[in-house]
Amino acid sequence: MYVREEGRMREKKVLPHYLKEDQQRWYLLAYDNNVLKIFNVDCIRNLRIYYEETFKKDMNIDANDLFKDSYGIWNQPDIPIENIELSYSALDGRFLKSVPLHHSQTIIVDNETEFRITLRLRITNDFVMALLARSSSLTVIKPLHLRERVRKVYEEALQRNA
């Protein structure tokens, strides 16, 4: 198969194991040179199946377990799992109750002025982008480095759009 990486098409010969859906997009989990990687199905071209070559699927892989501490499809074990506390308006809270950010989401305040939650996961770029989707009422309580990261995104956007 050919995969688009860094703006170029590269040929890859992989051992496919799972298909996973996230946010209405499909991903292929496959071994590439003995490393389990994630490929966006939309970026795969000229898929070729080698029927004469077989491999044994690694049955020790629990695809759901791979992503349990991550937001979406981004599984990066070198990023630590952290406790996160976020505050939103009551209006955004109604949405976040019906569509939680993550399975670890726990509601700690839910009243007419505030909706506050805790989460436990890896803080990846995908997660930060999800936070920004409701940024009009978001306050990052902790960790402080996440608060700073969100603030920096706001500052850079303000400079670009001033």
Side-chain angles (χ1 to χ4, degrees):
M1 73 181 186
Y2 284 87
V3 179
R4 188 173 54 242
E5 289 181 330
E6 301 170 6
R8 296 187 327 211
M9 294 302 287
R10 296 185 184 192
E11 187 171 8
K12 298 273 185 180
K13 189 173 182 181
V14 301
L15 306 177
H17 273 58
Y18 297 96
L19 282 174
K20 179 166 176 49
E21 184 270 337
D22 182 61
Q23 298 181 24
Q24 300 176 12
R25 292 188 178 167
W26 285 94
Y27 298 87
L28 173 67
L29 281 69
Y31 277 97
D32 178 18
N33 293 322
N34 294 321
V35 176
L36 189 62
K37 294 184 179 179
I38 303 163
F39 300 94
N40 183 338
V41 171
D42 290 345
C43 296
I44 297 173
R45 300 289 179 263
N46 300 328
L47 182 64
R48 190 173 338 144
I49 299 170
Y50 294 93
Y51 292 102
E52 65 279 1
E53 295 181 32
T54 61
F55 66 94
K56 187 171 177 146
K57 182 178 174 182
D58 185 347
M59 299 305 287
N60 294 319
I61 297 172
D62 181 344
N64 292 323
D65 194 50
L66 285 176
F67 301 99
K68 73 177 172 55
D69 298 319
S70 301
Y71 177 84
I73 197 75
W74 195 323
N75 177 28
Q76 197 170 343
D78 60 322
I79 296 175
I81 300 166
E82 298 188 63
N83 295 315
I84 301 157
E85 188 172 333
L86 308 170
S87 176
Y88 292 92
S89 69
L91 179 63
D92 278 343
R94 286 197 291 275
F95 178 80
L96 290 167
K97 277 192 276 191
S98 65
V99 184
L101 281 170
H102 188 255
H103 68 85
S104 68
Q105 177 173 308
T106 303
I107 300 169
I108 57 174
V109 175
D110 184 9
N111 59 40
E112 60 282 342
T113 60
E114 181 186 22
F115 181 76
R116 189 179 293 204
I117 57 174
T118 60
L119 305 145
R120 184 163 171 76
L121 53 85
R122 301 178 199 285
I123 299 174
T124 61
N125 287 336
D126 284 356
F127 177 64
V128 173
M129 293 298 112
L131 294 181
L132 294 173
R134 299 226 163 269
S135 64
S136 64
S137 76
L138 169 67
T139 301
V140 177
I141 308 298
K142 61 183 172 183
L144 293 178
H145 72 87
L146 176 58
R147 184 182 184 105
E148 177 62 23
R149 188 167 170 181
V150 169
R151 185 190 61 76
K152 187 175 179 185
V153 170
Y154 293 152
E155 284 180 351
E156 291 171 358
L158 184 60
Q159 288 176 351
R160 283 190 308 275
N161 293 289

